Amino acid sequence: MAKFLNTSATNYFLEELIKSATDRLILISPFLKLNDRMKELLADKNRLKIDVRIVYGKSELQPQEIEWLRGLTFVRTSFCKNLHAKCYLNESLCIVTSLNLYEFSQVNNNEMGVLIERAEDAQLYKDAYEEAQRIIRISDEVRISMERITHGAAEAIEVTADAGADGETAVSGKLSSSKFAQKQGWKTAQFLERAVVSGYLALEGDRHVLTAKGQQAGVEFVTRSRFGPYFVWPEDIGLS
């Protein structure tokens, strides 16, 4: 049977949920901001090669936190527009709560939550898990990074690798990668793969950079956005 959680119980069971994950861990929270305790727990899951998926609606990470998160091979992040849900799951437990991820381990706020145990409430757990999977499916997976990249004489800082956020609006009649992909019925990742094959982008390590061919074709790299830099594309550009 589901259990009611107050503030201290929510913090306790969330830590237990993270620590006890042996196969998968899903953390859904509107704000991506990590305190020291959460970093410690995530680093441990990464060492154990546990598949961790973080879905967020807004990133408030500092540059040094971005670099730290990039080093966690088994932690993936996804951006979800209009996200307000707070839900945390592993393979056997689920917590639906008012607690944001960055507020974990804090007890100065008044929070509520519900703990669902798969062994006792299989259908309720299944419903919550399926909704979490739906949120993941409608999210754009992003590689959070902060790299200096050079385009001619100009230098820009890449904070996200084309997040597909609502802040990516058309520039001079051009479309962002996510908008272009949606128009074609593709995922953003599929579109970026095609752009690499076509020679408009190149992969340097784990990030995309604009090539000379891309510049000549009219592709631009926009650096000013509340959601981070992104590429914009002419609507009639051809892809391989």
Side-chain angles (χ1 to χ4, degrees):
M1 180 179 295
K3 298 179 177 65
F4 171 78
L5 305 176
N6 60 17
T7 304
S8 58
T10 299
N11 276 277
Y12 171 78
F13 280 104
L14 177 53
E15 179 164 346
E16 291 302 304
L17 182 152
I18 295 171
K19 290 194 298 186
S20 65
T22 58
D23 179 52
R24 61 178 178 268
L25 177 63
I26 300 173
L27 304 174
I28 298 174
S29 178
F31 296 99
L32 181 54
K33 184 178 179 181
L34 306 174
N35 58 36
D36 290 341
R37 182 56 177 161
M38 182 58 68
K39 290 178 185 177
E40 180 182 314
L41 293 170
L42 290 177
D44 186 53
K45 294 293 101 174
N46 188 69
R47 282 191 293 269
L48 294 172
K49 300 182 179 181
I50 305 301
D51 181 30
V52 179
R53 191 67 176 261
I54 301 175
V55 183
Y56 68 95
K58 182 179 179 182
S59 173
E60 296 185 351
L61 295 178
Q62 298 301 310
Q64 64 270 24
E65 295 175 313
I66 293 172
E67 290 302 313
W68 174 83
L69 190 57
R70 285 188 67 211
L72 301 184
T73 307
F74 295 91
V75 178
R76 293 183 292 165
T77 56
S78 294
F79 171 85
C80 183
K81 178 182 175 183
N82 298 329
L83 181 66
H84 198 257
K86 297 100 174 175
C87 182
Y88 311 107
L89 306 95
N90 66 15
E91 61 278 353
S92 59
L93 298 174
C94 171
I95 295 175
V96 180
T97 177
S98 61
L99 183 74
N100 279 298
L101 194 61
Y102 74 89
E103 295 169 320
F104 165 71
S105 80
Q106 298 179 6
V107 294
N108 53 313
N109 295 330
N110 292 305
E111 308 287 354
M112 291 186 183
V114 174
L115 174 68
I116 303 166
E117 298 183 60
R118 185 179 185 181
E120 297 188 12
D121 288 293
Q123 186 58 50
L124 186 56
Y125 175 90
K126 180 174 180 290
D127 291 342
Y129 179 77
E130 289 181 350
E131 179 61 15
Q133 290 296 315
R134 185 192 70 82
I135 290 175
I136 290 174
R137 287 195 301 272
I138 66 173
S139 304
D140 279 322
E141 185 172 345
V142 298
R143 291 189 304 277
I144 297 179
S145 61
M146 190 166 187
E147 297 285 345
R148 290 192 177 276
I149 59 179
T150 303
H151 303 307
E155 190 177 59
I157 295 185
E158 183 180 12
V159 180
T160 62
D162 210 38
D166 187 51
E168 296 182 0
T169 55
V171 175
S172 302
K174 299 177 181 179
L175 299 175
S176 69
S177 301
S178 60
K179 295 294 190 300
F180 198 110
Q182 289 171 10
K183 186 177 179 181
Q184 300 297 325
W186 303 330
K187 292 286 189 182
T188 304
Q190 294 175 309
F191 171 75
L192 294 174
E193 288 176 4
R194 288 174 179 262
V196 171
V197 172
S198 299
Y200 300 126
L201 299 179
L203 276 173
E204 291 187 0
D206 62 351
R207 61 190 177 90
H208 292 91
V209 297
L210 187 60
T211 64
K213 180 179 178 180
Q215 289 178 317
Q216 293 172 0
V219 183
E220 297 180 49
F221 185 69
V222 180
T223 60
R224 294 185 178 275
S225 167
R226 61 175 296 197
F227 295 102
Y230 59 97
F231 298 106
V232 290
W233 305 79
E235 293 190 53
D236 58 352
I237 195 168
L239 294 174
S240 302

